[in-house]
Amino acid sequence: LGRQGDLGPSLGSRLGVPRGQRSQGLYLPVARLMALVSGGGLLAQGTLVYVDYDSGGGVGFNEYHERLIISHIQGDEYFVASPTFDLFIEQLSAGNGDIADMRLGGLNGEVPIGLGADVIFGFGVINRVQRNGLLLEGERMAVLERAHRGIGAVAVGGIGAAAVAVPVPAALPPVALGGAAVAAPAAGVQAAVAPLSGPRGGLKRLVPPGGAWVLDEPTADYDIGDVFALPVGAAQLGGSALVVIGREVCVLKELLEGADIFEYSRARSDMLNLDKRTMPMPFRGEVEPTFGQLVGQMDAFPLGVEYENPLVGPPTVDWALRAVGTQGGDLLSRHQRWRSESGVKGSNPIVHEHHLLSMLLQYAVCFDRLNLKGLLCMELAWRRLQLHESAVSENPECPSYEGARHFMGIQQ
């Protein structure tokens, strides 16, 4: 997890822990420890806490669950992350009747004295970038939670910079915004209005006089580069602003007059590795998803938005993958079914090429993690596969490829 726990320079002395024990994790009788924590705000972002929810047996019998402190909410409530990457609010005090014992990790993330690996349910190996991403995601959710409760700003630290104040919106009644009701914060993090009208998807878009504020990270409903009107009173730092769009805390970026919004969006997406044509690679040790699960992660989007599509006819990959999902299995098992049910002879070269194309498409999904629904080359491969199947269905003994170019949508 990076083991970057930060309990503050004076925490050891505040808790009365002997100096020799501080680097090996902090230990106090649970009642005293939780009484201190219940004061609120003692656990800084990045702290690792080990919580035992079992009331009997003692060390060696109980299981300690590792918790990464993300943000202090209120009183003894903290936003935490679990080893399964769940993000939630937990009451870390004696007021939580489910907690029997609680231990703090060392200043450098060391496991507390007396706790072995056999009694800890902890995080696996993740790097600093992944850890910081988890902290950032959790902090955004914590901002919304504090806003819902009408709580003021808190200090946020532990992400490669000094602690900074993040303004938090006050809880106000929702207002109509673009036809939908969204929370309207009063100060600090402001609600941005709906995107301004304009062309999207690969067209050159120059920022008009006066500049423009564009979305700097994608949301569930909007893309990088969508233009928003900056609300009055939004928290700004340089050329960036923190706003609320729908129910998400988002960052807007200011672009100056004459800047190409499309070029900025593409460069920003490349930096964030946000390419719709690919899917995320698995973490080390992650259980490999099935072919059907990977297909479920694919998003279909029109081909030829950024170029002239040389193929004639509607895309077929999305339809073909849904058919595979209905049948079950993957593309290699589909090939075997076709071979046994089509009546084609095993010695026919068509069988070899059908198998090869099935392997190509299967490997593209399962190993290269490509989104077949957004790649023109994969559309061509699928049409070739379907051409073989169509020719064999008409005459398994002597398939005809008359009109093959027309079938595949290849222009003369």
Side-chain angles (χ1 to χ4, degrees), residues 350 387-388 390-404:
I350 293 176
L387 173 64
H388 288 315
S390 177
V392 169
S393 67
E394 294 179 2
N395 189 344
E397 297 293 331
C398 186
S400 171
Y401 285 83
E402 182 179 358

Side-chain angles (χ1 to χ4, degrees), residues 58-391:
V59 175
F61 294 90
N62 298 346
E63 182 176 59
Y64 284 76
H65 296 249
E66 198 171 37
R67 296 287 182 258
L68 174 65
I69 300 296
I70 291 179
S71 186
H72 176 232
I73 299 296
Q74 183 179 29
D76 55 0
E77 293 180 289
Y78 292 84
F79 215 93
V80 302
S82 73
T84 55
F85 302 112
D86 293 318
L87 303 174
F88 54 92
I89 298 172
E90 184 162 25
Q91 181 185 13
L92 297 176
S93 74
N96 186 342
D98 294 329
I99 296 180
D101 192 17
M102 186 168 69
R103 304 284 297 276
L104 301 184
L107 297 180
N108 294 313
E110 295 89 352
V111 173
I113 296 173
L115 297 187
D118 58 327
V119 298
I120 293 177
F121 175 54
F123 287 89
V125 178
I126 64 174
N127 60 36
R128 174 182 284 272
V129 173
Q130 296 161 348
R131 172 185 180 273
N132 288 349
L134 190 64
L135 291 174
L136 284 170
E137 180 186 2
E139 179 57 40
R140 285 183 168 184
M141 297 172 68
V143 166
L144 291 175
E145 175 63 27
R146 289 191 293 268
H148 178 71
R149 300 187 186 190
I151 304 172
V154 300
V156 180
I159 312 182
V164 295
V166 178
V168 178
L172 293 180
V175 297
L177 201 63
V182 295
V189 182
Q190 295 291 320
V193 302
L196 305 180
S197 61
R200 297 174 59 178
L203 300 177
K204 189 177 184 68
R205 302 173 59 194
L206 298 182
V207 176
W213 289 87
V214 301
L215 189 61
D216 212 32
E217 298 177 3
T219 69
D221 300 313
Y222 303 108
D223 293 326
I224 293 176
D226 281 345
V227 180
F228 286 79
L230 186 69
V232 177
Q236 298 184 42
L237 180 62
S240 299
L242 203 61
V243 300
V244 172
I245 300 176
R247 297 184 61 85
E248 298 185 58
V249 179
C250 305
V251 176
L252 295 183
K253 178 70 175 179
E254 183 182 22
L255 298 184
L256 302 180
E257 177 183 350
D260 189 330
I261 296 178
F262 171 66
E263 288 297 330
Y264 174 81
S265 302
R266 181 162 57 182
R268 179 66 174 165
S269 296
D270 288 345
M271 189 192 77
L272 296 176
N273 196 27
L274 300 175
D275 193 333
K276 292 182 178 180
R277 298 171 299 179
T278 63
M279 296 181 291
M281 295 299 291
F283 289 125
R284 183 172 57 185
E286 178 185 358
V287 177
E288 287 292 332
T290 65
F291 179 83
Q293 290 172 334
L294 289 172
V295 170
Q297 296 179 20
M298 298 180 185
D299 292 324
F301 56 94
L303 299 175
V305 173
E306 300 180 13
Y307 52 82
E308 183 179 352
N309 188 349
L311 299 180
V312 178
T316 63
V317 172
D318 190 18
W319 166 82
L321 287 175
R322 287 200 302 268
V324 174
T326 302
Q327 297 171 350
D330 54 26
L331 296 179
L332 295 181
S333 61
R334 177 181 180 275
H335 163 75
Q336 295 298 334
R337 286 196 302 270
W338 172 80
R339 180 178 177 179
S340 62
E341 297 173 1
S342 65
V344 66
K345 293 182 179 179
S347 58
N348 193 317
I350 293 176
V351 176
H352 172 71
E353 184 174 348
H354 190 281
H355 184 221
L356 187 63
L357 288 170
S358 298
M359 289 177 61
L360 183 150
L361 295 165
Q362 175 100 358
Y363 290 177
V365 174
C366 297
F367 295 98
D368 295 332
R369 299 296 172 94
L370 299 180
N371 178 5
L372 304 190
K373 299 179 181 180
L375 293 169
L376 185 65
C377 59
M378 294 301 168
E379 174 68 27
L380 187 62
W382 263 108
R383 292 188 183 189
R384 180 68 177 176
L385 193 70
Q386 295 172 71
L387 173 64
H388 288 315
E389 295 172 358
S390 177

Side-chain angles (χ1 to χ4, degrees), residues 34-64:
M34 291 197 290
L36 288 168
V37 173
S38 64
L42 178 65
L43 302 178
Q45 186 181 76
T47 303
L48 289 173
V49 179
Y50 299 82
V51 180
D52 170 27
Y53 298 100
D54 190 353
S55 60
V59 175
F61 294 90
N62 298 346
E63 182 176 59
Y64 284 76

